[in-house]
Amino acid sequence: MDAAIDDGVDILSLSLGGYTNDPVALGAYSETERGILVSCSAGNNGPFNGTTSNEAPWILTVADAHVLPALDVTYADGIKILAYMNSTKKPVARITFQGTIIGDKNAPVVPGFSSRGPSTASPGILKPDIIGPGVNILAA
């Protein structure tokens, strides 16, 4: 974490477990004082309440969400994408926003293993702060 400060980062994303009295939380506090956003994983100790790691208030704690298997790359024309990539020397792709779908039965859900709040160290602090995709990710 000290090396990241020296490198001049603006954001630090850590997938490390930790609690409010450990070196991760203390290091994150030092970085936050310098204007660096520290984002950490909530952990994989769910589904019970109070299982969130990295619950210090200065850490942006992110829990895992996953996309249902129906949205796996195979179902998302992944084979066609691979065929296209292999058919040209310089494949090009574009992702455009097509709006949102309300009530989609395939919307992301929180998996059972994802940790949940509230914070055990300070129950008045709601953790995790946000959830984001963490399983079945298709990326370039």
Side-chain angles (χ1 to χ4, degrees), residues 9-13 31-32 35-39 58-60:
V9 299
D10 295 314
I11 299 172
L12 186 63
S13 176
E31 294 201 10
T32 301
I36 299 170
L37 172 67
V38 180
S39 173
W58 51 87
I59 296 174
L60 177 66

Side-chain angles (χ1 to χ4, degrees), residues 106-128:
N106 294 320
V109 296
V110 177
F113 61 80
S114 190
S115 294
R116 282 130 168 98
S119 169
T120 55
S122 181
I125 297 174
L126 297 178
K127 290 286 182 169

Side-chain angles (χ1 to χ4, degrees), residues 1-26:
M1 293 175 84
D2 290 337
I5 292 171
D6 293 341
D7 288 344
V9 299
D10 295 314
I11 299 172
L12 186 63
S13 176
L14 304 171
S15 290
L16 304 170
Y19 300 93
T20 56
N21 60 352
D22 74 1
V24 172
L26 296 174

Side-chain angles (χ1 to χ4, degrees), residues 39-132:
S39 173
C40 293
S41 64
N44 296 324
N45 298 315
F48 305 106
N49 291 343
T51 55
T52 300
S53 294
N54 299 306
E55 54 192 5
W58 51 87
I59 296 174
L60 177 66
T61 307
V62 183
D64 186 27
H66 76 288
V67 179
L68 297 176
L71 295 179
D72 188 304
V73 66
T74 304
Y75 295 97
D77 292 325
I79 295 171
K80 290 179 185 177
I81 294 169
L82 183 59
Y84 168 68
M85 289 171 49
N86 291 329
S87 71
T88 181
K89 291 182 181 180
K90 295 183 180 181
V92 176
R94 180 178 303 121
I95 299 174
T96 58
F97 180 67
Q98 300 294 315
T100 59
I101 300 172
I102 305 299
D104 182 2
K105 66 179 178 149
N106 294 320
V109 296
V110 177
F113 61 80
S114 190
S115 294
R116 282 130 168 98
S119 169
T120 55
S122 181
I125 297 174
L126 297 178
K127 290 286 182 169
D129 298 300
I130 59 174
I131 64 170

